[in-house]
Amino acid sequence: MQNELQPQTTENQQEPEQPASAQKPTKKQQFFQFLKFTLFSISAGIIQILSTTILHQWTGWLLNYYWLAYIIGLTLSVIWNFTFNRKFTFKAANNIPLAMALVILYNCIIVVPLALGGDALVALWGDDWGILVTAISLLINFITEFFWDKFVVFNAKVTDRILKLFSKDKEQ
């Protein structure tokens, strides 16, 4: 009698069994993953708000260039967030250059509307509302980035497929 916990193998089996870490996490594990992502995102948000506000409002260096202050603040927070979420939240050991490229792709898609939209809101509401505009942008970024990171960037199945598309020795 074969133990029910042991995977059954056949000679024609296409893919090997997934390791325990690649299997779908429990609801409790998913909750803690979301909690970690939230805490790291809050710390990244603090970095972004402070750096954007310092550059845009407090020093006046980029007073007429909210979009540039936003992009600098976002870049600092993305590096912080990527590093900690890769290591502690998603515990991803997949291809780091590809993962960072996917993060950059996401940010290229989301940054332009958020930066230009934020710039338009600051022009409409006034420079004193820069912090609120940044907070709104952070909320939009937080929600969309969680799903992008979880289902694309740190998903080994997705990144393996992408790597396979670009590999030199494709299987026929």
PDB file of all heavy atoms in Angstrom, residues 18-30:
ATOM      1  N   GLN A  18       6.104  19.559  -7.649  1.00  0.00           N
ATOM      2  CA  GLN A  18       6.554  20.835  -7.116  1.00  0.00           C
ATOM      3  C   GLN A  18       7.079  20.633  -5.700  1.00  0.00           C
ATOM      4  O   GLN A  18       6.519  19.865  -4.934  1.00  0.00           O
ATOM      5  CB  GLN A  18       5.406  21.834  -7.061  1.00  0.00           C
ATOM      6  CG  GLN A  18       4.883  22.240  -8.406  1.00  0.00           C
ATOM      7  CD  GLN A  18       3.726  23.214  -8.264  1.00  0.00           C
ATOM      8  OE1 GLN A  18       3.169  23.373  -7.186  1.00  0.00           O
ATOM      9  NE2 GLN A  18       3.376  23.853  -9.359  1.00  0.00           N
ATOM     10  N   PRO A  19       8.139  21.356  -5.343  1.00  0.00           N
ATOM     11  CA  PRO A  19       8.569  21.310  -3.955  1.00  0.00           C
ATOM     12  C   PRO A  19       7.515  21.951  -3.067  1.00  0.00           C
ATOM     13  O   PRO A  19       6.676  22.718  -3.548  1.00  0.00           O
ATOM     14  CB  PRO A  19       9.874  22.110  -3.947  1.00  0.00           C
ATOM     15  CG  PRO A  19       9.869  22.893  -5.200  1.00  0.00           C
ATOM     16  CD  PRO A  19       8.981  22.180  -6.165  1.00  0.00           C
ATOM     17  N   ALA A  20       7.572  21.674  -1.787  1.00  0.00           N
ATOM     18  CA  ALA A  20       6.577  22.189  -0.849  1.00  0.00           C
ATOM     19  C   ALA A  20       6.496  23.706  -0.912  1.00  0.00           C
ATOM     20  O   ALA A  20       5.421  24.288  -0.781  1.00  0.00           O
ATOM     21  CB  ALA A  20       6.898  21.729   0.566  1.00  0.00           C
ATOM     22  N   SER A  21       7.625  24.394  -1.121  1.00  0.00           N
ATOM     23  CA  SER A  21       7.629  25.850  -1.147  1.00  0.00           C
ATOM     24  C   SER A  21       6.917  26.409  -2.377  1.00  0.00           C
ATOM     25  O   SER A  21       6.470  27.532  -2.372  1.00  0.00           O
ATOM     26  CB  SER A  21       9.066  26.375  -1.097  1.00  0.00           C
ATOM     27  OG  SER A  21       9.764  25.935  -2.247  1.00  0.00           O
ATOM     28  N   ALA A  22       6.784  25.607  -3.443  1.00  0.00           N
ATOM     29  CA  ALA A  22       6.148  26.081  -4.667  1.00  0.00           C
ATOM     30  C   ALA A  22       4.652  25.786  -4.676  1.00  0.00           C
ATOM     31  O   ALA A  22       3.946  26.238  -5.552  1.00  0.00           O
ATOM     32  CB  ALA A  22       6.814  25.453  -5.877  1.00  0.00           C
ATOM     33  N   GLN A  23       4.179  25.005  -3.705  1.00  0.00           N
ATOM     34  CA  GLN A  23       2.770  24.690  -3.644  1.00  0.00           C
ATOM     35  C   GLN A  23       1.990  25.890  -3.125  1.00  0.00           C
ATOM     36  O   GLN A  23       2.539  26.784  -2.490  1.00  0.00           O
ATOM     37  CB  GLN A  23       2.547  23.467  -2.752  1.00  0.00           C
ATOM     38  CG  GLN A  23       3.123  22.205  -3.358  1.00  0.00           C
ATOM     39  CD  GLN A  23       2.995  21.012  -2.437  1.00  0.00           C
ATOM     40  OE1 GLN A  23       2.599  21.139  -1.294  1.00  0.00           O
ATOM     41  NE2 GLN A  23       3.345  19.838  -2.937  1.00  0.00           N
ATOM     42  N   LYS A  24       0.712  25.910  -3.413  1.00  0.00           N
ATOM     43  CA  LYS A  24      -0.131  27.034  -3.020  1.00  0.00           C
ATOM     44  C   LYS A  24      -0.107  27.203  -1.498  1.00  0.00           C
ATOM     45  O   LYS A  24      -0.348  26.248  -0.758  1.00  0.00           O
ATOM     46  CB  LYS A  24      -1.551  26.816  -3.512  1.00  0.00           C
ATOM     47  CG  LYS A  24      -2.448  27.984  -3.231  1.00  0.00           C
ATOM     48  CD  LYS A  24      -3.818  27.788  -3.795  1.00  0.00           C
ATOM     49  CE  LYS A  24      -4.645  29.017  -3.433  1.00  0.00           C
ATOM     50  NZ  LYS A  24      -6.021  28.836  -3.759  1.00  0.00           N
ATOM     51  N   PRO A  25       0.168  28.436  -1.043  1.00  0.00           N
ATOM     52  CA  PRO A  25       0.205  28.666   0.408  1.00  0.00           C
ATOM     53  C   PRO A  25      -1.202  28.608   1.018  1.00  0.00           C
ATOM     54  O   PRO A  25      -2.200  28.849   0.336  1.00  0.00           O
ATOM     55  CB  PRO A  25       0.805  30.070   0.541  1.00  0.00           C
ATOM     56  CG  PRO A  25       0.697  30.701  -0.794  1.00  0.00           C
ATOM     57  CD  PRO A  25       0.549  29.607  -1.802  1.00  0.00           C
ATOM     58  N   THR A  26      -1.248  28.297   2.297  1.00  0.00           N
ATOM     59  CA  THR A  26      -2.520  28.260   3.018  1.00  0.00           C
ATOM     60  C   THR A  26      -3.045  29.686   3.175  1.00  0.00           C
ATOM     61  O   THR A  26      -2.327  30.661   2.947  1.00  0.00           O
ATOM     62  CB  THR A  26      -2.344  27.636   4.411  1.00  0.00           C
ATOM     63  OG1 THR A  26      -1.493  28.493   5.185  1.00  0.00           O
ATOM     64  CG2 THR A  26      -1.741  26.236   4.334  1.00  0.00           C
ATOM     65  N   LYS A  27      -4.295  29.806   3.601  1.00  0.00           N
ATOM     66  CA  LYS A  27      -4.885  31.134   3.815  1.00  0.00           C
ATOM     67  C   LYS A  27      -4.101  31.906   4.883  1.00  0.00           C
ATOM     68  O   LYS A  27      -3.905  33.113   4.752  1.00  0.00           O
ATOM     69  CB  LYS A  27      -6.348  31.016   4.199  1.00  0.00           C
ATOM     70  CG  LYS A  27      -7.229  30.558   3.053  1.00  0.00           C
ATOM     71  CD  LYS A  27      -8.684  30.772   3.367  1.00  0.00           C
ATOM     72  CE  LYS A  27      -9.582  30.251   2.281  1.00  0.00           C
ATOM     73  NZ  LYS A  27      -9.506  30.953   1.047  1.00  0.00           N
ATOM     74  N   LYS A  28      -3.648  31.220   5.895  1.00  0.00           N
ATOM     75  CA  LYS A  28      -2.865  31.866   6.947  1.00  0.00           C
ATOM     76  C   LYS A  28      -1.526  32.374   6.382  1.00  0.00           C
ATOM     77  O   LYS A  28      -1.113  33.499   6.661  1.00  0.00           O
ATOM     78  CB  LYS A  28      -2.612  30.878   8.091  1.00  0.00           C
ATOM     79  CG  LYS A  28      -1.878  31.463   9.266  1.00  0.00           C
ATOM     80  CD  LYS A  28      -1.721  30.434  10.384  1.00  0.00           C
ATOM     81  CE  LYS A  28      -0.948  31.005  11.543  1.00  0.00           C
ATOM     82  NZ  LYS A  28      -0.786  30.036  12.631  1.00  0.00           N
ATOM     83  N   GLN A  29      -0.874  31.558   5.575  1.00  0.00           N
ATOM     84  CA  GLN A  29       0.383  31.971   4.951  1.00  0.00           C
ATOM     85  C   GLN A  29       0.156  33.150   4.003  1.00  0.00           C
ATOM     86  O   GLN A  29       0.965  34.072   3.951  1.00  0.00           O
ATOM     87  CB  GLN A  29       1.016  30.803   4.197  1.00  0.00           C
ATOM     88  CG  GLN A  29       1.560  29.716   5.095  1.00  0.00           C
ATOM     89  CD  GLN A  29       1.952  28.466   4.317  1.00  0.00           C
ATOM     90  OE1 GLN A  29       1.308  28.101   3.331  1.00  0.00           O
ATOM     91  NE2 GLN A  29       3.002  27.802   4.773  1.00  0.00           N
ATOM     92  N   GLN A  30      -0.954  33.122   3.263  1.00  0.00           N
ATOM     93  CA  GLN A  30      -1.271  34.223   2.360  1.00  0.00           C
ATOM     94  C   GLN A  30      -1.530  35.509   3.141  1.00  0.00           C
ATOM     95  O   GLN A  30      -1.126  36.595   2.725  1.00  0.00           O
ATOM     96  CB  GLN A  30      -2.488  33.881   1.494  1.00  0.00           C
ATOM     97  CG  GLN A  30      -2.202  32.834   0.456  1.00  0.00           C
ATOM     98  CD  GLN A  30      -3.434  32.505  -0.380  1.00  0.00           C
ATOM     99  OE1 GLN A  30      -4.439  33.202  -0.351  1.00  0.00           O
ATOM    100  NE2 GLN A  30      -3.335  31.422  -1.135  1.00  0.00           N
TER     101      GLN A  30
END
